[in-house]
Amino acid sequence: MKSYRKELTFNTTHRREFINITPYVDACLRESGIKEGLVLCNAMHITASVFINDDESGLHHDYEVWLEKLAPEKPHSQYRHNGFEDNADAHLKRQIMGREVVVAVTNGKLDFGTWEQIFYGEFDGKRAKRVLVKIIGE
Ligand code: ZN
């Protein structure tokens, strides 16, 4: 069995941002040479997510609105976690959008369902943050 590991780094210009990272994960898969196996992809920070969904801007706007209803960023004083930090909302948003995804690898390709793409969800950005890509198989 082969094993491959890589860290991707993202530094968003906004506090909250969604990035389609499918091309980066695809590049990792090609570099790994693995044809059959599994890809694990996870955010390495507790204020960011990796998730799978549609690459459609309306949907991404809907996520932003929905997440702001569930866990509004402001006022910062509404959260006990804030004080030293101001990112309590980002921890909560991360929880609901998830930490990681697992994608099957078949014939050297990411074996997606229709319209599936992998996204990095940033909720407390403007600094360098990492995503782990681990691939196992043969
Ligand atoms: Zn925090």
Side-chain angles (χ1 to χ4, degrees), residues 46-47 81-82 85-88 91 124:
I46 51 181
T47 53
H81 178 70
N82 288 340
E85 293 185 295
D86 68 355
N87 64 4
H91 288 276
D124 184 24

Side-chain angles (χ1 to χ4, degrees), residues 8-74:
L8 307 174
T9 302
F10 299 98
N11 195 342
T12 62
T13 50
H14 303 103
R15 179 180 170 105
R16 287 188 292 280
E17 212 166 304
F18 296 128
I19 300 170
N20 185 339
I21 62 169
T22 311
Y24 301 103
V25 178
D26 214 32
C28 290
L29 180 56
R30 277 182 269 117
E31 196 174 89
S32 76
I34 291 169
K35 302 291 178 201
E36 296 291 326
L38 293 171
V39 176
L40 166 74
C41 186
N42 65 270
M44 299 179 81
H45 300 263
I46 51 181
T47 53
S49 290
V50 172
F51 63 95
I52 290 180
N53 218 300
D54 195 359
D55 194 0
E56 197 278 306
S57 60
L59 178 66
H60 297 177
H61 174 78
D62 294 338
Y63 276 135
E64 165 66 17
V65 172
W66 179 61
L67 290 168
E68 272 299 289
K69 275 184 203 158
L70 289 173
E73 180 196 338
K74 290 173 182 166

Side-chain angles (χ1 to χ4, degrees), residues 55 75 110 118 126:
D55 194 0
L110 296 167
I118 306 170
K126 300 184 192 173

Side-chain angles (χ1 to χ4, degrees), residues 93-104:
K93 285 162 177 149
R94 185 276 172 116
Q95 202 70 42
I96 202 141
M97 295 303 283
R99 172 184 181 265
E100 78 276 304
V101 300
V102 176
V103 181

